[in-house]
Structures are given as C-alpha cells and as structure tokens.
Amino acid sequence: MSSSEQKYNDTIVKGFLISGLVWGVASMLVGVWIAFQMVYPELNFGPYFTFGRLRPLHTNAAIFGFALSIIFATAYHTVQRLCRVRIWSDKLSNLHLFLYNLTILAAAITLPLGLNQSKEYAELEWPLDLMVVIWFVIFLINYFATIFTREEKQLYAAIWFYIASWVTIPILFIVNNLSIPVSWIKSYSVYSGVYDANIQWWYGHNAVAFVLTTPFLGLMYYYLPKHIKQPIYSHRLSIIHFWSLIFLYIWAGPHHLLYSPLPDWLQTTGMVFSIMLWMPSWGGMLNGFLTLTQAKEKIKTDATLKMLLVGLTFYGMSTFEGPLLSIRAVSGLGHNTDWIIGHVHGGTLGWVGMMSFAVIYYLVPRLWNTNLFSERLANTHFWVATLGILLYIVSMWVSGISEGSMWRAIDETGALKFPNWVQITETLKPYRLFRGIGGGLYLIGLLIMIYNVVRTILNAGSGFKEIDLRIGSKEEKVV
C-alpha cells in the first residue's frame, strides 16, 4: 500500500463513482424511454411502466442517483486533499455509501408502484425520507469532523461551495417534506393550497441551486485548476461569486408560480432575485473560462478539458435562460411547454453531465493508478454527447415556442385558433422525436465512457504514480 493510500481513504470515492455510473445508465435509459413515449404512446405499458410512473423515477435516479453520487465522490476526494487529512471515519463513510444506495434502490422500486408524494424532486414517501435524513446526518458528521481536524488552516473556495450545499439541503428537505403519515406507504403534506405550492417551489428551485449548482461549482473550482496545473484565475472573484450566489438563489423560487394565486409582491420578488442571479452566475462562469485560457492549447486534444469547457458554456447558457424565463412576459409564453424541458436538460445534460464526465475521466486513472484506456474513445464520447445535447435542447426550444404560440393563438373572432389539443400534439411530434434521438446519443456517449472506464480499471496494476494533488502543484513522483 502506498503512502498516499494510507493517508487518504479513496475506497469511498471509488464506491460513489461506481454508484454514479450505475445510476447514470439507469436514469438515462429510462429518460430515453419516456422521451419516445411522448412520440409513440404504445410504449406506455400499464400500470407500472407508463410515463406518469417512470418520469419521477427518471428525475430521482438522475438527480439523486447519478448527480449526487458524483457530488459525494468529489466531496470525499476534495475534502481530504484540501484539508490534508484522512476522512474522519472510514466506518461512517461505508455506512453512508450502503444506506444511500439502499435508498435509491428502494426509490427505483416504489416509484413505478405509484408510491409517490406528488411533489417535484420530493416524490419519495416518508419511510424513505427518514432514511435520507439518517445517511445525510452520518455524512454531515463525517464531513465537518474532517474539516474541524484539518491540518490546512485555510479553506479553499471549493470547500465553501460544498459547505453551502450541506447547510442548505437539510433545511430545504425537512421543511418541504413535513407530512402526516397515514400508513407505511402513504402520507399527506402538512401544507395545503397556494402555501403548499410556495413551499414546494422554494424547495424545488433550491434543489437545483444546492444540489445541481453549488457542489458542481465546488468541484469546478478544484478539478479545473488541478487538471490544467494552473491556479484559478481570480480567488477574489470566487469569493464574490460564492457569497452573492448563495444569498440571491434562495429567494428565486416564486418565479415558478407566476400568474398563480401567489401574492403579486411575492411573484415579483422571485422574478427580481432571479434576474439578479445573472451577475454572480456569470461571474463564476467567467472565472472558469479565464482559468481555461491558461491551457487553451490543450483543448484540441484533451477530452476532459473539452468537457469542462462545454460544461461551463452550458452553465452560462442555463443561468442566462433561467432568469429570462422568470420574466412574466416570457414565462407567459414558455411555462408548461417543451421549452422548460429544454432549459432543464440544457443545465442537467450540459452543465451537470459534462462536469460529471470530466471528473470521472480525471479521477479514474488517478484512483486506480493507471492511464486512461483510450483518449480517442473519450473524445468520441465528448462529440457524441455534445451532439446529443444540441439535438435535445434545440428541438425543445422550437417545440416549446411553437407549443406556447399555438396555445395562445386566436382567430379573427377572438376564439382559440387551435382548440383541439391533439392537433397541437401532432405538430410537436417531429421535435419530440429529435429530442428522443438526442437523448439516445447522450446515452450512447455514457456507454462509451463506461466501456473506457471498465477497461481502464482492468488495466490497472501495471504501474502506479502517486500524484501530489495540492492546488497549483506540478509535482509527481513514482512509487
């Protein structure tokens, strides 16, 4: 065993990376299936494999299976390096990994069965909610104990972004999921009416903020400079980015409820804070881009760097489009249409997905002490996935704007021009077909990566480099 392996617990990092790959395939396979269900209704097999049952399975597996696995993997990896100390408890880490995967497996069983709280991103019934609380508390104790026992006094910006997630997620989760159980498989929310809607979208929007944004910004601030062996462009900008982002994000949820019974002042507050989010979001994006310019000559050949670049690009696009869609006039056209689906997947496939893939390509050779099996396959994965994302979001932009325009179109008498909903659906079928094809390409890219990763792991053992993972370090030594 090397001195590096003795100092840090990388077994837990490997465990969460493998979990991410497993749940990534599951979530994207279901995602492609339900995309084609929107084109070919005969693909709905009742009662367990209809769109209504599979859609929450897709979102939960993607967000809380794939993305959260990558978040935990990088959290365990970065906190040990940045604090220069081993994770506080190996036993708690292993318990966290076991209970986490048990919860996701239970979700994959119960959601198709229709056991559902009917809350966006919070569908799991109360016994599974309690299980989430248990393993998240275990993780929090382990993570913060590691920070408190650290040997490095300063906390790098990446740690701050992770901490913001760990502090905010429990507040969001507990408040939104307060419910009254009526049996082992059913509960009812303590909220009702517009109050319930407001709590739900305060939670829903901030689940995007503190699960799909801040931890991925944390990994960006660590792995981007590590990969190019250059410091982050501006540490000061990273601090401004952090404090402004977490202050503004938490108040933006009401923009999901424009034109609803929610009080106008609260709708306007959500819209204003959403628009202000442009500034810190683009500040972080520019910090990443300006860091990348220090290694622009590598972008042509380095697949990991390409994925980081495209991930940052889609972060910028999504954080421009989101505030745009929060404006009342734009929301009136786009809300509840395919445009929103395109926006969501621009962020998830482009930002979250590409950053996750980049991290996997970065970590796997280092954790298994070998070289990546094929850089050519990694580049193939990049181009196939990028084409898939573009097909997906462009088709949804066209479909969504067409859909919204047809809904509100009126004839010379003032009556609806397209009162027949089926007529609108038939018009949208070609765009939704391209959406399914785009998702299929993205899934193929993931399968290429898995083959590349498996071959890399199988080839491990032929030699091993211990790499100094300090920020800005260029040192390597052969053990």
Side-chain angles (χ1 to χ4, degrees), residues 292-313:
L292 268 172
T293 60
Q294 301 174 89
K296 55 188 177 184
E297 71 283 351
K298 297 180 181 179
I299 293 176
K300 293 181 180 179
T301 57
D302 191 324
T304 302
L305 204 54
K306 289 176 184 176
M307 289 175 175
L308 290 168
L309 173 61
V310 169
L312 281 168
T313 301

Side-chain angles (χ1 to χ4, degrees), residues 212-213 217 220 241 245 249 274 277-289 308-324 343 346-348 350-352 355 393 397:
L212 301 179
T213 303
L217 288 168
M220 182 272 285
H241 175 207
L245 187 80
Y249 230 135
S274 299
L277 271 172
W278 263 328
M279 294 177 285
S281 298
W282 277 41
M285 176 195 68
L286 290 172
N287 209 3
F289 276 143
L308 290 168
L309 173 61
V310 169
L312 281 168
T313 301
F314 276 99
Y315 176 60
M317 289 173 59
S318 297
T319 53
F320 175 85
E321 190 178 28
L324 178 68
H343 165 63
T348 52
W351 162 240
V352 173
M355 296 301 287
I393 62 172
W397 284 338

Side-chain angles (χ1 to χ4, degrees), residues 126-342:
W126 69 270
L128 294 185
D129 284 345
L130 289 179
M131 191 178 293
V132 170
V133 171
I134 291 169
W135 57 251
F136 204 85
V137 168
I138 290 170
F139 169 70
L140 289 180
I141 293 170
N142 209 7
Y143 192 88
F144 283 106
T146 304
I147 292 176
F148 293 148
T149 58
R150 68 188 186 275
E151 296 177 4
E152 177 65 51
K153 291 184 178 180
Q154 290 186 329
L155 286 179
Y156 179 60
I159 295 287
W160 283 103
F161 279 96
Y162 282 110
I163 289 175
S165 305
W166 313 146
V167 170
T168 311
I169 287 173
I171 299 171
L172 297 167
F173 185 84
I174 292 170
V175 172
N176 185 58
N177 285 285
L178 289 174
S179 60
I180 301 172
V182 294
S183 73
W184 284 103
I185 59 173
K186 188 59 189 171
S187 63
Y188 292 97
S189 174
V190 299
Y191 313 110
S192 61
V194 71
Y195 192 55
D196 184 34
N198 188 36
I199 292 292
Q200 160 58 37
W201 282 110
W202 167 77
Y203 163 85
H205 189 78
N206 287 299
V208 174
F210 293 97
V211 177
L212 301 179
T213 303
T214 50
F216 283 92
L217 288 168
L219 68 86
M220 182 272 285
Y221 275 114
Y222 181 84
Y223 293 105
L224 174 56
K226 283 305 303 177
H227 184 61
I228 65 174
K229 297 182 173 65
Q230 295 290 338
I232 199 74
Y233 173 75
S234 172
H235 181 66
R236 179 176 296 177
L237 182 55
S238 71
I239 299 301
I240 296 171
H241 175 207
F242 170 78
W243 287 110
S244 55
L245 187 80
I246 64 167
F247 173 73
L248 294 174
Y249 230 135
I250 201 75
W251 307 108
H255 80 234
H256 288 265
L257 298 169
L258 300 178
Y259 300 106
S260 76
L262 199 71
D264 282 349
W265 69 266
L266 194 51
Q267 296 181 36
T268 302
T269 299
M271 181 179 70
V272 169
F273 274 90
S274 299
I275 292 171
M276 288 194 292
L277 271 172
W278 263 328
M279 294 177 285
S281 298
W282 277 41
M285 176 195 68
L286 290 172
N287 209 3
F289 276 143
L290 292 170
T291 303
L292 268 172
T293 60
Q294 301 174 89
K296 55 188 177 184
E297 71 283 351
K298 297 180 181 179
I299 293 176
K300 293 181 180 179
T301 57
D302 191 324
T304 302
L305 204 54
K306 289 176 184 176
M307 289 175 175
L308 290 168
L309 173 61
V310 169
L312 281 168
T313 301
F314 276 99
Y315 176 60
M317 289 173 59
S318 297
T319 53
F320 175 85
E321 190 178 28
L324 178 68
L325 284 164
S326 75
I327 299 171
R328 277 192 175 89
V330 182
S331 179
L333 172 65
H335 202 60
N336 294 322
T337 72
D338 285 349
W339 186 357
I340 306 302
I341 310 302

Side-chain angles (χ1 to χ4, degrees), residues 6 28 72 82 116 138 158 176 226 285 313 412 424 451:
Q6 289 174 336
M28 294 177 203
F72 285 138
L82 290 172
N116 191 320
I138 290 170
N176 185 58
K226 283 305 303 177
M285 176 195 68
T313 301
E412 59 277 2
I424 299 175
Y451 173 76

Side-chain angles (χ1 to χ4, degrees), residues 12 16 93-103 131 135:
I12 190 64
F16 274 106
S93 300
N94 294 333
L95 185 60
H96 172 209
L97 176 63
F98 171 75
L99 292 177
Y100 165 80
N101 278 290
L102 184 62
T103 305
M131 191 178 293
W135 57 251

Side-chain angles (χ1 to χ4, degrees), residues 348-360:
T348 52
L349 302 181
W351 162 240
V352 173
M354 283 299 199
M355 296 301 287
S356 298
F357 297 153
V359 163
I360 292 169

Side-chain angles (χ1 to χ4, degrees), residues 39 388 391-392 395-396 429-439:
V39 185
L391 272 177
Y392 195 115
S395 64
M396 290 294 95
K429 282 183 72 172
Y431 309 116
R432 291 176 172 175
L433 177 61
F434 277 107
R435 184 260 297 270
I437 294 170

